[in-house]
Amino acid sequence: MTTSGPWTGDTAADATETRATESRATESDASESRGTATAGEAGQERLRRWRLVLGGDAADGTGHGLSGRDAAMDGALAALYGSPEVPRTGRERSGGLGASAPSVARWLGDIRTYFPSSVVQVMQRDAIDRLGLSTLLLEPEMLEAVEPDVHLVGTLLSLHRAMPETTKETARAVVRKVVEDLEKRFAGRTRTALAGALDRGARRNRPRHRDIDWNRTIAANLKHYQPEYGTVVPERLVGYGRASQSLRKQVILCIDQSGSMASSVVYASVFGAVLASMRSIDTRLVAFDTAVADLTDRLDDPVDVMFGTRLGGGTDINRALAYAQSQITRPAETVVVLVSDLYEGGIRHEMLKRVAAMKASGVQFVALLALSDEGAPAYDREHAAALAALGAPAFACTPDLFPEVMAAALEKRALPAPDAG
């Protein structure tokens, strides 16, 4: 007997399906609502960011207001990047820091509060470049307020001869902090890479019996295995090197100290000190502009090396290479590293002749257009091509790549040169 009414079997199934459909619809509506809210929040965040970038002028088109922390951040940005309503010659905007040391000190404190260290460093550099604040760095109070980084060190090195005595110790403390950070970052890796290269280069192929490295000798002669005798008959013996008995390698760093090479000077000084700390390498460091300064006796302290340089002035690469050439005692065991943008103010053809002569004598010659992480450098392309034609490719090198470049040069293998000129 079939029962009629609202709860028959078919209608109950229909009701269940209807309730499930309504439930799914409700969940869909809720999800859509949440999605709309999320999209709205994302839209507001985009407007906020554009408002901070554009500066809130009438034409920025965001219609977004700022308050609290955002307003303070906007004020710090406006003080540096200014308003387009008050243009300066050659600039789209003018800044609002003026020449007041107290106001700059407060601004430096503000940006360290509102922005991460990497952004602070960029803003400090922009303030120095855009607003001419270099002279304010001659005041100890200002130096204590800044975020130390490689670019700031370069600026201090260019100013240090004009610094009053009251500022010099503070400046050295700032530079030393950056140097210590760089040494922590690079020293261990550099020593490991170069020690490995020196050990491989020191292995002997005609060792005395007590100097034979049996593990490497067997590995090198496995193809000479004699099955009938069940043994390996070595045709080549590999021996241990005796790195501590004598200086096997000589490295001469020639650093261009023209103004555009500031970051390279900082990194090269640190790496020079690391190389000098390795007893298996005889390291010399030469800084040059139109004159040549041998700073080898300061290599135990890279801060002293940096303050011994004189950023700015002309460039005479030929003179620097002539001095380096005079210091070479073991050409086949020597690596000369020229760190320069190659804008030569001296005698071009003499420079190239010196490089050719060094290479012909067995010297490994490495030309680095920059030793920094600032991206592609400006350099003299004609001179770079001329060096490449001599078998000395010129390329930009980041600090992270430098240990590998030096290891390859010490082993006389192909250099890792991703940005070859």
Side-chain angles (χ1 to χ4, degrees):
M1 176 177 173
T2 301
T3 306
S4 62
W7 299 113
T8 60
D10 290 341
T11 54
D14 291 343
T16 301
E17 184 177 351
T18 299
R19 285 195 298 273
T21 301
E22 290 174 349
S23 176
R24 286 194 296 271
T26 300
E27 290 175 0
S28 177
D29 290 344
S31 176
E32 183 177 348
S33 177
R34 287 194 298 272
T36 301
T38 302
E41 292 170 0
Q44 286 298 307
E45 177 62 15
R46 282 195 296 273
L47 286 175
R48 169 184 170 272
R49 288 172 177 267
W50 275 114
R51 165 61 182 80
L52 287 168
V53 168
L54 296 173
D57 300 311
D60 74 8
T62 64
H64 188 86
L66 299 175
S67 61
R69 184 183 180 88
D70 285 348
M73 290 173 63
D74 187 56
L77 290 167
L80 173 57
Y81 300 108
S83 167
E85 295 175 3
V86 189
R88 288 185 182 181
T89 304
R91 297 177 182 170
E92 293 182 0
R93 297 186 176 191
S94 62
L97 292 176
S100 165
S103 66
V104 175
R106 284 194 297 273
W107 178 79
L108 287 168
D110 287 344
I111 64 174
R112 294 175 76 170
T113 299
Y114 300 127
F115 302 100
S117 176
S118 58
V119 175
V120 169
Q121 292 170 7
V122 172
M123 294 179 72
Q124 285 179 174
R125 188 178 180 189
D126 284 350
I128 292 169
D129 292 343
R130 291 167 58 90
L131 306 180
L133 299 184
S134 297
T135 54
L136 292 178
L137 295 177
L138 303 180
E139 301 180 22
E141 297 79 7
M142 287 294 299
L143 285 178
E144 291 170 357
V146 296
E147 184 78 20
D149 72 323
V150 170
H151 305 298
L152 178 64
V153 170
T155 301
L156 292 178
L157 295 181
S158 67
L159 294 172
H160 79 271
R161 295 183 185 279
M163 284 181 181
E165 290 299 322
T166 55
T167 305
K168 286 184 177 179
E169 284 306 310
T170 306
R172 289 182 72 90
V174 171
V175 173
R176 188 167 298 283
K177 182 179 186 307
V178 174
V179 166
E180 289 173 352
D181 290 343
L182 293 177
E183 286 181 323
K184 288 176 185 176
R185 179 179 168 191
F186 297 117
R189 185 149 48 91
T190 301
R191 292 191 184 101
T192 299
L194 299 191
L198 291 168
D199 285 344
R200 287 188 290 273
R203 290 175 197 148
R204 299 173 179 173
N205 291 328
R206 301 179 66 182
R208 290 173 293 186
H209 185 271
R210 68 174 180 269
D211 291 331
I212 296 174
D213 184 338
W214 288 108
N215 289 333
R216 291 193 174 93
T217 295
I218 292 170
N221 290 276
L222 286 176
K223 62 183 177 181
H224 304 305
Y225 177 72
Q226 303 293 319
E228 63 271 26
Y229 299 109
T231 188
V232 170
V233 178
E235 291 189 2
R236 182 169 68 89
L237 299 177
V238 180
Y240 294 107
R242 295 187 175 275
S244 61
Q245 291 183 356
S246 64
L247 290 170
R248 297 193 311 277
K249 296 291 183 180
Q250 182 181 31
V251 174
I252 302 177
L253 295 174
C254 290
I255 309 172
D256 184 343
Q257 58 181 355
S258 57
S260 60
M261 302 297 292
S263 294
S264 297
V265 168
V266 175
Y267 285 116
S269 300
V270 171
F271 281 117
V274 173
L275 294 174
S277 71
M278 301 179 69
R279 287 185 292 179
S280 298
I281 301 177
D282 177 14
T283 305
R284 302 197 73 83
L285 188 145
V286 177
F288 68 92
D289 44 29
T290 53
V292 177
D294 191 329
L295 302 176
T296 303
D297 60 348
R298 304 189 186 193
L299 277 174
D300 59 335
D301 186 350
V303 177
D304 278 347
V305 172
M306 292 179 203
F307 279 97
T309 62
R310 183 178 56 194
L311 287 175
T315 306
D316 193 338
I317 302 173
N318 178 54
R319 176 175 291 188
L321 293 182
Y323 180 81
Q325 196 173 19
S326 72
Q327 301 301 305
I328 296 172
T329 56
R330 304 180 303 279
E333 304 299 328
T334 298
V335 178
V336 174
V337 182
L338 172 65
V339 184
S340 173
D341 54 16
L342 302 181
Y343 287 110
E344 171 65 311
I347 307 172
R348 176 184 183 274
H349 70 275
E350 286 291 333
M351 174 189 79
L352 297 175
K353 281 176 61 177
R354 290 192 190 282
V355 175
M358 282 190 276
K359 286 191 64 63
S361 69
V363 171
Q364 293 292 104
F365 190 90
V366 181
L368 302 181
L369 304 171
L371 178 55
S372 72
D373 51 10
E374 296 180 342
Y379 63 95
D380 189 306
R381 295 181 180 275
E382 183 180 351
H383 286 163
L387 288 176
L390 294 174
F395 58 96
C397 179
T398 65
D400 288 307
L401 185 63
F402 185 77
E404 186 180 343
V405 169
M406 288 304 303
L410 290 170
E411 291 187 78
K412 300 185 178 181
R413 54 183 171 85
L415 302 179
D419 299 321

